[in-house]
Amino acid sequence: MGENTVNDSRFEAFRKVFYTYLEQHGLSRTSERYAVIREVYELSGHFDVETLFVRLKQKKYQVSRTTLYHTLDLLEDSGLVRKYRFDDGPAVYECAFRQPPHDHILLPDSGETIEFSHPLVEELIRSLEAEHDIRITGRSVVFYAKQN
Ligand SMILES: [Zn+2]
């Protein structure tokens, strides 16, 4: 029972969520989609489509950019991936599986991104939900900063 066993069962749970989603939407399980979810699962932190494309290519998977975008949309819709668009840059994604939501501080000068979770943001969400009788299903809280 090494670390790989644990990670594999976690990946299995991830895969199961996606396959259930595909089934519910009448979409098929293709080898391309499998390759994409395996790679997305293994990537840590933020990544863009180009990074994913290059990694899959290095592993000799034939996955077009169109398929990549489409599969990422499906992953986002199924809640397994979060998508962000910071500034005018390319969309960045990150694996959201069993990860609580967080927010970002960008330091454009260095290109660094700080991730944070703050109870006040959660409190604000609850308060807005109650005030407007809504359920907030997505968020995009970004602060821009300069290093002192
Ligand atoms: Zn993040």
Side-chain angles (χ1 to χ4, degrees):
M1 289 288 282
E3 209 178 349
N4 284 335
T5 317
V6 175
N7 285 339
D8 278 357
S9 72
R10 198 170 169 276
F11 174 71
E12 276 314 297
F14 179 91
R15 187 192 55 75
K16 218 169 163 185
V17 172
F18 189 56
Y19 280 10
T20 303
Y21 172 89
L22 291 178
E23 219 161 88
Q24 284 167 348
H25 291 79
L27 299 162
S28 52
R29 306 169 177 187
T30 62
S31 56
E32 288 90 348
R33 282 178 181 152
Y34 182 83
V36 174
I37 66 164
R38 184 80 235 187
E39 205 57 38
V40 163
Y41 179 81
E42 281 170 10
L43 276 163
S44 61
H46 298 169
F47 61 89
D48 59 20
V49 169
E50 214 41 43
T51 307
L52 194 55
F53 183 77
V54 169
R55 283 178 62 124
L56 286 164
K57 212 172 170 183
Q58 281 166 351
K59 294 183 179 176
K60 313 278 180 231
Y61 289 115
Q62 301 285 340
V63 182
S64 70
R65 283 182 177 82
T66 309
T67 302
L68 267 190
Y69 277 109
H70 185 52
T71 308
L72 284 166
D73 282 346
L74 299 177
L75 283 165
E76 187 194 5
D77 196 40
S78 65
L80 289 168
V81 155
R82 292 192 196 103
K83 180 184 184 178
Y84 305 100
R85 192 176 283 279
F86 300 132
D87 270 335
D88 294 328
V92 293
Y93 301 84
E94 71 188 334
C95 191
F97 184 59
R98 293 179 182 169
Q99 311 255 7
H102 60 262
D103 301 294
H104 300 94
I105 303 169
L106 302 190
L107 290 90
D109 293 345
S110 63
E112 196 191 334
T113 305
I114 299 168
E115 300 193 325
F116 71 94
S117 298
H118 199 291
L120 279 178
V121 178
E122 306 307 324
E123 210 180 303
L124 176 63
I125 289 172
R126 296 301 154 261
S127 146
L128 288 168
E129 286 177 333
E131 190 185 335
H132 300 282
D133 191 26
I134 51 172
R135 190 171 60 88
I136 289 176
T137 57
R139 63 205 273 171
S140 173
V141 179
V142 184
F143 293 105
Y144 295 89
K146 278 183 193 300
Q147 197 73 55
N148 286 330

